């Protein structure tokens, strides 16, 4: 009696694949941005053991990862293609290969992105992430080759033996029966729509010997753009596969972090950082003659403060620079949704239930109430910040203290002052010293004309004075 073979090969298609180069033809163009920084990867306290060897694990988005080089170091062979890596272990071969590959030395916090190449572990696909100099896969994916046993301090890997023969090949466009027998199977096409994973299931399929089954891939589902993740064989002949989650697939928190990074990237185009640049007239410290440097602030007639490439603030003489100017205005006014998304996705926080954000490009100050990641827009106020020669410093501050008015000795009165840094503050436009008549500034709101403070209308400055308490966080960008 002829033994019925069991068959299972499938491929997860992930970020940055060159579809036409691998397989030809027209395939979905929707894909992950593999150049987008998503978050930080950290060394985990947990480790992975194989026999007498101990390997480091890495953690982000509540998931554990292992470097691809470590997998090779554990005795798994790697075959590299133009847009994929395939890891294999032949039937019956034990993982006693000498440990002759040194895993990368990954330390500290590392910025990670989605992996550029797809990874196949035998006949099982997995997504990957990448940091500079290394590609990592989810630890759970190693259960293809090893029994993964949780032990104190981490995991213990023990080798498995495989006896199945694989005759069903799966590409991102078709399935091919390479055997002399009919193959019947169920499968699902997996997608990501930006919020959820979507499975499109196909049941009770049969491929005749040497036959081909074409995949009907989609770019949209119910009118929403989707990213095709791969085709997963649920069952082949009498063999039923476990769910993709068994191999660490469909990590919701990771994909949500990707969407958050993508949204922040789009918001940073709406809210670009305001900069005023200067050109060095001669060498000062590490600043070379003719070098262009960002100006942070100017101390009234005494010196300039510049920001070097490392973010350090450096004092230079007034005559050492020539101010080039700011990077323009004219940006459209932001919507409430954009404002709330920006402060919440950027994780802005405050010691109080109030927060201020001054948009230097639009010359607007926005007020929010709530708490970290739950801020709600309350008010938008037209303002005037410092001109090039008396720049309002950008950065993160807080309301330090308040004074009802100041300036009488100099022949004017500014009302409702909320001090944030040295003598920089939110305050009203200028009145005469009695405080009854507007002296200047009312029709200049919306332009950079101040001596460094943030000027507001009398009504708006009073609103901040009464409604934004001391210790409230202030963001000026």
């Amino acid at each position: 009696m002829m033994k019925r073979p069991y068959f299972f090969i499938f491929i997860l298609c992930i970020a940055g694949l060159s579809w036409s180069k691998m397989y030809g033809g027209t395939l979905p163009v929707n894909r992950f941005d593999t150049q987008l920084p998503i978050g930080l990867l950290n060394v985990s306290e947990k480790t992975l053991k194989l026999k007498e060897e101990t390997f480091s694990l890495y953690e982000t988005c509540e998931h554990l990862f292992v470097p691809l080089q470590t997998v090779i170091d554990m005795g798994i062979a790697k075959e590299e293609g133009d847009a994929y890596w395939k890891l294999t272990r032949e039937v019956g071969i034990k993982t006693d290969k000498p440990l002759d590959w040194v895993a990368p030395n990954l330390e500290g916090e590392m910025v990670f992105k989605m992996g550029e190449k797809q990874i196949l572990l035998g006949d099982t696909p997995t997504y990957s992430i990448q940091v500079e100099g290394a590609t990592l896969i989810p630890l759970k994916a190693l259960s293809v080759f090893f029994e993964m046993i949780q032990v104190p301090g981490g995991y213990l890997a023990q080798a498995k033996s495989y006896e199945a023969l694989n005759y069903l090949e799966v590409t991102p466009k078709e399935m091919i029966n390479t055997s002399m027998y009919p193959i019947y199977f169920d499968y699902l096409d997996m997608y990501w729509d930006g919020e959820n994973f979507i499975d499109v299931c196909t049941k009770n399929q049969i491929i005749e010997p040497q036959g081909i089954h074409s995949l009907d891939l989609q770019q949209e589902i119910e009118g929403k753009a989707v990213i095709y993740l791969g085709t997963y064989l649920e069952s082949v002949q009498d063999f039923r596969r476990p769910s993709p989650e068994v191999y660490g697939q469909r990590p919701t928190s990771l994909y949500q972090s990707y969407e958050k990074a993508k949204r922040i990237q789009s918001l940073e185009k709406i809210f670009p950082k305001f900069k005023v640049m200067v050109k060095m007239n001669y060498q000062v410290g590490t600043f070379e003659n003719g070098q262009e440097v960002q100006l942070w602030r100017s101390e009234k007639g005494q010196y300039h403060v510049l920001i070097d490439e490392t973010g350090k603030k450096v004092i230079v003489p007034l005559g050492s620079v020539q101010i080039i100017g700011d990077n323009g205005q004219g940006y459209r006014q932001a919507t409430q949704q954009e404002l709330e998304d920006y402060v919440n996705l950027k994780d802005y926080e405050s010691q109080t239930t109030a927060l201020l954000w001054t948009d230097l490009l639009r010359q607007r100050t926005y007020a929010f109430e709530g708490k970290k990641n739950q801020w709600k827009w309350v008010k938008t106020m037209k303002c005037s910040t410092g001109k090039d020669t008396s720049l309002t410093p950008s950065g993160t501050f807080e309301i330090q203290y308040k004074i009802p008015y100041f300036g009488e000795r100099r022949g004017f009165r500014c009302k409702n002052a909320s001090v944030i840094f040295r003598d920089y503050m939110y305050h009203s436009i200028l009145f005469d010293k009695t405080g009854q008549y507007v002296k200047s500034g009312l029709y200049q709101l919306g332009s950079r004309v101040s001596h460094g403070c943030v000027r507001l209308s009398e009504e708006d400055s009073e609103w901040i004075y009464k409604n934004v308490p001391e210790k409230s966080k202030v963001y000026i960008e």
Side-chain angles (χ1 to χ4, degrees):
M1 182 175 180
M2 185 176 295
K3 182 179 180 181
R4 177 179 291 171
Y6 296 94
F7 317 97
F8 45 97
I9 285 186
F10 50 96
I11 296 177
L12 172 62
C13 303
I14 197 71
L17 294 181
S18 176
W19 303 110
S20 60
K21 186 173 181 180
M22 287 181 64
Y23 306 108
T26 301
L27 291 169
V29 295
N30 302 339
R31 63 189 64 183
F32 292 104
D33 180 356
T34 60
Q35 300 304 311
L36 175 66
I38 300 175
L40 295 176
L41 182 73
N42 296 279
V43 179
S44 174
E45 295 181 355
K46 298 179 180 179
T47 60
L48 174 63
K49 293 186 178 182
L50 174 65
K51 298 182 179 179
E52 302 301 322
E53 299 296 326
T54 301
F55 302 95
S56 296
L57 295 176
Y58 302 84
E59 188 171 6
T60 190
C61 302
E62 302 175 351
H63 293 274
L64 291 171
F65 293 84
V66 58
L68 185 58
Q69 291 89 333
T70 295
V71 180
I72 299 168
D73 202 10
M74 295 171 68
I76 303 301
K78 182 181 78 168
E79 175 186 344
E80 186 168 351
D82 290 338
Y84 69 93
W85 283 317
K86 186 172 183 179
L87 307 179
T88 59
R89 184 165 68 85
E90 296 181 5
V91 175
I93 300 297
K94 302 300 183 181
T95 54
D96 53 3
K97 179 180 175 181
L99 298 174
D100 56 2
W101 185 289
V102 178
N105 183 23
L106 305 178
E107 297 180 348
E109 293 184 331
M110 299 159 284
V111 176
F112 76 92
K113 307 173 184 178
M114 295 300 292
E116 293 181 350
K117 291 192 175 186
Q118 71 178 89
I119 311 294
L120 296 172
L121 289 87
D123 53 13
T124 303
T126 186
Y127 71 95
S128 65
I129 62 173
Q130 59 181 338
V131 297
E132 186 175 357
T135 298
L136 301 96
I137 62 175
L139 176 67
K140 284 186 176 181
L142 286 185
S143 59
V144 172
F145 295 131
F146 302 95
E147 296 287 352
M148 302 297 293
I149 304 171
Q150 190 167 359
V151 296
Y155 291 83
L156 174 64
Q158 293 183 345
K160 287 198 234 181
S161 294
Y162 283 79
E163 298 178 357
L165 299 177
N166 303 315
Y167 292 112
L168 185 60
E169 296 181 0
V170 183
T171 77
K173 60 184 291 188
E174 61 191 10
M175 299 179 186
I176 305 170
N177 181 357
T178 63
S179 78
M180 300 302 296
Y181 307 97
I183 296 178
Y184 54 92
F185 59 95
D186 301 333
Y187 70 92
L188 56 86
D189 295 322
M190 299 185 296
Y191 297 89
W192 171 252
D193 72 355
E195 296 179 356
N196 302 290
F197 294 98
I198 299 175
D199 293 337
V200 178
C201 301
T202 304
K203 302 288 187 181
N204 303 318
Q205 300 297 300
I206 299 177
I207 303 182
E208 297 301 323
Q210 307 300 311
I212 296 176
H213 176 88
S214 297
L215 299 176
D216 182 18
L217 304 181
Q218 304 178 47
Q219 297 189 52
E220 291 186 355
I221 296 178
E222 297 183 354
K224 191 171 184 179
V226 292
I227 294 176
Y228 169 63
L229 301 177
T231 296
Y232 191 96
L233 290 170
E234 291 188 294
S235 66
V236 180
Q237 308 295 60
D238 293 332
F239 183 82
R240 184 153 193 91
R241 301 290 292 169
S243 69
E245 285 82 358
V246 170
Y247 300 114
Q249 305 311 299
R250 300 197 285 207
T252 301
S253 58
L254 176 67
Y255 282 68
Q256 287 175 340
S257 294
Y258 170 84
E259 294 299 330
K260 176 180 177 179
K262 189 170 67 172
R263 178 59 174 155
I264 290 175
Q265 183 184 61
S266 66
L267 288 169
E268 287 178 341
K269 294 178 181 178
I270 298 172
F271 303 109
K273 299 296 185 184
F274 176 84
K275 293 182 180 179
V276 171
M277 304 299 289
V278 299
K279 186 174 182 179
M280 300 303 301
N281 291 329
Y282 52 83
Q283 182 175 351
V284 179
T286 59
F287 300 129
E288 300 291 337
N289 180 28
Q291 181 179 350
E292 293 187 5
V293 187
Q294 182 181 348
L295 175 65
W296 186 58
R297 71 178 186 89
S298 300
E299 184 63 26
K300 305 170 178 62
Q302 299 181 43
Y303 55 81
H304 294 297
V305 181
L306 308 183
I307 301 178
D308 68 12
E309 295 178 351
T310 67
K312 182 180 179 181
K313 298 177 178 65
V314 181
I315 294 175
V316 300
L318 284 179
S320 65
V321 303
Q322 175 184 349
I323 296 177
I324 299 173
D326 65 75
N327 59 351
Q329 297 183 29
Y331 286 86
R332 67 166 175 80
Q333 295 307 315
T335 66
Q336 177 178 343
Q337 186 65 56
E338 289 168 340
L339 295 172
E340 291 179 351
D341 282 354
Y342 189 83
V343 297
N344 286 318
L345 291 174
K346 297 279 281 187
D347 296 326
Y348 285 176
E349 56 188 349
S350 177
Q351 294 187 52
T352 73
T353 57
L355 179 145
L356 291 178
W357 166 26
T358 293
D359 184 344
L360 294 171
L361 282 173
R362 292 174 175 80
Q363 291 295 288
R364 296 292 189 274
T365 293
Y366 313 113
F368 301 85
E369 65 178 6
K371 60 182 180 179
K372 183 178 179 180
N373 303 130
Q374 298 180 33
W375 296 110
K376 294 295 183 181
W377 170 86
V378 176
K379 187 175 180 65
T380 295
M381 296 163 276
K382 186 182 289 188
C383 62
S384 289
T385 64
K387 51 185 178 287
D388 287 346
T389 54
S390 55
L391 203 60
T392 300
S394 59
T396 304
F397 310 94
E398 65 178 30
I399 303 294
Q400 296 181 350
Y401 59 91
K402 301 181 179 186
I403 49 179
Y405 56 85
F406 67 93
E408 293 86 342
R409 294 183 180 180
R410 289 178 283 175
F412 62 88
R413 176 179 288 189
C414 290
K415 305 177 182 180
N416 310 313
S418 299
V419 180
I420 60 171
F421 169 70
R422 297 170 64 102
D423 56 355
Y424 294 92
M425 60 192 83
Y426 290 93
H427 63 68
S428 73
I429 55 177
L430 277 66
F431 291 80
D432 67 359
K433 61 182 179 181
T434 69
Q436 295 182 352
Y437 303 101
V438 175
K439 187 171 183 179
S440 68
L442 179 60
Y443 300 106
Q444 294 173 312
L445 290 175
S447 302
R448 296 197 302 110
V449 297
S450 83
H451 296 101
C453 291
V454 182
R455 296 181 187 173
L456 301 144
S457 68
E458 181 180 14
E459 294 77 15
D460 287 340
S461 67
E462 183 179 12
W463 187 92
I464 290 178
Y465 193 85
K466 291 182 177 179
N467 293 282
V468 182
E470 294 178 4
K471 300 298 182 181
S472 296
K473 194 63 68 72
V474 173
Y475 294 87
I476 299 179
E477 301 174 326

